[in-house]
Amino acid sequence: MLRASMPRVNELPMPAAVEQAGPEMLRIRWSDGIESLYPVRGLRLACRCAHCIEEMTGRPLLDETGVPVDVRPVKIRSVGRYALQFDWS
C-alpha cells in the first residue's frame, strides 16, 4: 500500500517577509521563495480569533459592515513557526 508522506514541521515554508503590495493587498514571501498576495480586507474578515468568532458555537462576532474598506495592518508579528498575528487599523 502506498502512502503519501506528510512533510515534517521543519520542512514547511515559513513567512520570510510580509509587506503591503498596494493599498488593498498584502504580500507574504515564504521561505521556499513563493510569494502570495492577499486582499487586506479579506484577511481581516477571515480572522478566527476569540474577538471575531464565538469560541463555543463558531458564531461570527465581527460585524462585516464595521470593517472599513481601507483597513490595514499596523503591526504584524510571527506566532510559532508559520502563523501571523495582525493588529488592524
Side-chain angles (χ1 to χ4, degrees):
M1 171 186 272
L2 288 175
R3 192 189 281 185
S5 62
M6 294 291 294
R8 295 191 320 228
V9 171
N10 61 351
E11 295 173 347
L12 295 173
M14 298 184 311
V18 181
E19 60 193 17
Q20 285 285 156
E24 298 177 3
M25 298 299 286
L26 193 73
R27 175 183 292 117
I28 300 178
R29 298 175 198 258
W30 299 91
S31 59
D32 62 0
I34 300 292
E35 290 186 6
S36 302
L37 289 173
Y38 299 95
V40 174
R41 190 166 188 271
L43 284 175
R44 177 64 187 104
L45 294 174
C47 183
R48 304 288 297 169
C49 80
H51 294 286
C52 297
I53 299 291
E54 209 289 319
E55 182 179 3
M56 300 305 283
T57 65
R59 180 179 60 88
L61 299 174
L62 180 64
D63 178 11
E64 185 174 325
T65 62
V67 177
V69 294
D70 63 347
V71 67
R72 61 183 172 71
V74 293
K75 189 172 186 181
I76 303 170
R77 292 180 291 284
S78 290
V79 178
R81 293 189 53 80
Y82 59 86
L84 297 171
Q85 180 180 13
F86 296 90
D87 290 342
W88 299 99
S89 59

